[in-house]
Amino acid sequence: MSNSAESTSPRPLRVAIVGAGPAGVYAADILTKSNEVKDGDVQVSIDLFEAYPAPYGLIRYGVAPDHPRIKGIVNALHKVLDRGDIRFLGNVTYGRDLTLHDFRAFYDAVIFSTGAIKDADLDIPGIGLEGSFGGADFVSWYDGHPDVPREWPLEAKEIAVIGNGNVALDVARMLVKHADELLVTEIPDNVYRALKDSPVTDVHVFGRRGPAQVKFTPLELRELSHAKDVDIVLYPEDFEFDEASDEAIRSNNQIRTMVNTLTNWLVEEHAEAEEPSSRRLHLHFLHSPVEIHDDAANPGKVAGIKFERMQLDGTGNVKGTGEFLDYPVQAVYRAIGYHGSPLDELEYDARRGVVPNEGGRVLDAEGNAVPGIYATGWIKRGPVGLIGHTKGDALETIGFLLEDRLTLPPAQNPDPQAIIDLLQERGIEYTTWEGWIKLDAHELALGAEWSEAQSAIGIERERIKVVPREDMIEISRG
């Protein structure tokens, strides 16, 4: 065992991570498994804070419940937190319950992994009409987020979804899918009932560029075809490919797979049709939104959306044609990306929605690294890439934290009990990993009870998600 780190810091390095989604859990895991820790050069003591009473962040509150990879990711995160070497403290909100000053008093380093939960803006006329929604808000609702209303106005028969990423496809699939198909997921009961009563017949998904430039993945695309009693509708005029598209199809297996899937669907659609389904999912490309509008019959409410027809310019980008198309819809969901939120006492790049940083070292207004303060995940690099990309972020951030460990501003009170005493003193009803185990078991029991009561219909529900924050806290702490 060495060394200067041992002599200057005989106690464990105290690290707080703010945000218990994949980014935060990956950062904690990478730190505990780092060579410096394994070799005994440094000991670490990690507290993982979360604003919600339950862990997992985006996995619990930002991914459609029928997504096939959820369970695998949750299982992986569960294994990390269940080891016992990372302490989970839920229902604690940064900037309200604890300040940066508080964290500095009890920890040598703080890593922010708060992600991005708000919708990116779409600045077109009519975006504020009744019936115009943010996709992220809808995702929070159908995922049973404890801080959003329990009800959602599902009154439209025809709906537009703007965006060509995975979130747009999730939103569209949840809108068009028959609710009974979702009973096998952890969907909350209030969400099931609302979707069951939805009058929707047609959901239109619009992207600005062509089929070779979409941002979703083959897995997300294939999931669309699994919905029962839903026809997928495509349009031959949207299948335009330029030189850059052809090169992307040749050189990128993922793009080639998606284009082949879409073109096969197009061919199959125009073959001999069977009896039409009761709902339709339309995929449109080369459409740029111009205006959402109402009409005389429904002033102030969405009645339609206008697009400009686009064309590829040879580079894979698009330019306008001057041709405009209007679609009658009664609701519009924008799903063009997420945007990070500012954090108290830290600089904020409003354009990118991130905390300014260099490799995870958070910067001040002058561009200097703030000692002991770090970022990882979407609040570090912006809401792009898949969940797995956050592992690379965390590896970089943890590398710099360990590099800085001898010069970190030491905690005034590094006793692990001290932060618990402060939370109790302030009357904060924090939850723990043991509390999550209780809540997890409760949700599983709700699913089993439902399945037994409804055994005649032959559907088994693995779990039913608890929605009200007060119930989550009571179950976790009870």
Side-chain angles (χ1 to χ4, degrees):
M1 187 178 297
S2 60
N3 79 27
S4 58
E6 182 72 17
S7 60
T8 58
S9 182
R11 62 172 175 80
L13 186 71
R14 288 283 286 150
V15 179
I17 300 177
V18 182
V25 177
Y26 290 152
D29 189 40
I30 288 170
L31 178 55
T32 61
K33 293 178 178 176
S34 64
N35 289 332
E36 290 84 350
V37 172
K38 286 193 296 184
D39 294 343
D41 292 343
V42 60
Q43 293 179 305
V44 293
S45 171
I46 303 171
D47 286 343
L48 185 62
F49 290 86
E50 174 56 56
Y52 310 132
Y56 307 143
L58 176 72
I59 296 300
R60 184 170 169 93
Y61 294 121
V63 182
D66 62 343
H67 199 295
R69 289 184 296 174
I70 288 179
K71 186 179 293 187
I73 298 172
V74 166
N75 288 342
L77 300 180
H78 180 99
K79 287 179 181 178
V80 173
L81 295 179
D82 202 43
R83 294 194 312 244
D85 56 348
I86 300 162
R87 185 166 63 173
F88 171 75
L89 296 169
N91 199 42
V92 180
T93 299
Y94 172 75
R96 184 192 69 193
D97 299 327
L98 294 176
T99 66
L100 188 61
H101 175 78
D102 294 326
F103 278 109
R104 283 197 173 283
F106 298 107
Y107 299 93
D108 306 299
V110 185
I111 303 172
F112 287 92
S113 57
T114 50
I117 60 172
K118 294 187 176 179
D119 285 287
D121 291 333
L122 178 62
D123 187 17
I124 61 173
I127 197 68
L129 288 172
E130 183 181 341
S132 173
F133 306 105
D137 292 335
F138 182 58
V139 172
S140 292
W141 173 76
Y142 67 58
D143 272 334
H145 192 296
D147 300 332
V148 302
R150 302 284 184 269
E151 308 302 322
W152 190 272
L154 291 168
E155 302 161 352
K157 289 186 175 182
E158 300 160 302
I159 301 172
V161 178
I162 303 172
N164 253 179
N166 285 341
V167 175
L169 291 195
D170 277 355
V171 167
R173 194 176 67 254
M174 289 295 291
L175 285 166
V176 79
K177 203 169 189 176
H178 290 279
D180 285 351
E181 282 194 73
L182 297 167
L183 283 173
V184 295
T185 75
E186 61 182 28
I187 186 171
D189 284 336
N190 65 299
V191 176
Y192 167 73
R193 289 192 300 268
L195 292 173
K196 179 78 170 174
D197 294 337
S198 172
V200 66
T201 59
D202 293 83
V203 175
H204 299 261
V205 181
F206 295 95
R208 289 186 70 250
R209 297 198 289 171
Q213 287 80 38
V214 295
K215 297 298 184 183
F216 40 74
T217 58
L219 178 64
E220 294 281 352
L221 183 62
R222 285 194 296 269
E223 282 178 35
L224 295 183
S225 64
H226 297 160
K228 298 176 182 176
D229 191 35
V230 176
D231 287 335
I232 298 176
V233 183
L234 299 110
Y235 299 86
E237 61 270 23
D238 288 347
F239 282 72
E240 179 180 313
F241 303 94
D242 60 1
E243 294 90 336
S245 302
D246 292 337
E247 175 58 29
I249 293 168
R250 281 195 300 270
S251 61
N252 187 301
N253 286 334
Q254 178 167 301
I255 293 174
R256 182 165 57 251
T257 297
M258 288 190 292
V259 170
N260 286 342
T261 298
L262 289 166
T263 52
N264 286 340
W265 286 352
L266 181 66
V267 171
E268 291 168 4
E269 178 195 344
H270 290 279
E272 187 68 29
E274 298 178 3
E275 185 175 341
S277 300
S278 66
R279 293 180 176 180
R280 289 160 293 281
L281 179 60
H282 307 254
L283 299 180
H284 304 268
F285 305 102
L286 300 168
H287 282 65
S288 181
V290 174
E291 178 184 10
I292 303 169
H293 60 81
D294 58 5
D295 60 23
N298 293 288
K301 295 184 178 181
V302 171
I305 183 168
K306 178 185 289 186
F307 292 89
E308 182 176 10
R309 182 79 186 172
M310 310 303 283
Q311 63 182 15
L312 293 164
D313 66 1
T315 69
N317 292 311
V318 291
K319 58 184 178 182
T321 64
E323 176 188 357
F324 294 91
L325 304 167
D326 205 302
Y327 294 84
V329 296
Q330 301 83 51
V332 174
Y333 291 75
R334 65 186 184 279
I336 58 173
Y338 286 92
H339 200 73
S341 303
L343 294 166
D344 284 3
E345 301 180 72
L346 300 181
E347 291 299 310
Y348 177 65
D349 182 338
R351 183 182 64 83
R352 297 179 58 219
V354 300
V355 171
N357 69 92
E358 284 186 356
R361 289 179 171 126
V362 170
L363 305 178
D364 62 19
E366 286 71 46
N368 301 311
V370 181
I373 307 299
Y374 302 86
T376 192
W378 280 3
I379 199 63
K380 168 187 174 182
R381 63 180 166 89
V384 293
L386 302 175
I387 290 170
H389 291 115
T390 58
K391 289 184 179 179
D393 278 341
L395 191 63
E396 180 183 53
T397 296
I398 295 303
F400 282 127
L401 186 156
L402 288 169
E403 186 179 303
D404 299 341
R405 69 185 185 276
L406 298 182
T407 59
L408 294 173
Q412 299 162 25
N413 189 346
D415 182 352
Q417 181 61 34
I419 188 67
I420 300 298
D421 293 341
L422 180 65
L423 293 173
Q424 291 175 339
E425 177 186 319
R426 293 182 177 174
I428 298 166
E429 295 183 299
Y430 66 90
T431 60
T432 63
W433 180 246
E434 293 73 24
W436 162 246
I437 297 299
K438 294 178 185 176
L439 179 57
D440 183 42
H442 180 82
E443 293 185 343
L444 291 170
L446 290 178
E449 290 169 12
W450 187 97
S451 301
E452 184 177 354
Q454 303 290 330
S455 58
I457 64 175
I459 295 177
E460 291 192 10
R461 302 192 70 179
E462 183 175 352
R463 72 164 66 229
I464 298 175
K465 188 180 289 184
V466 174
V467 179
R469 181 183 283 264
E470 57 272 20
D471 291 353
M472 296 173 68
I473 296 169
E474 181 180 354
I475 295 163
S476 299
R477 290 172 61 89

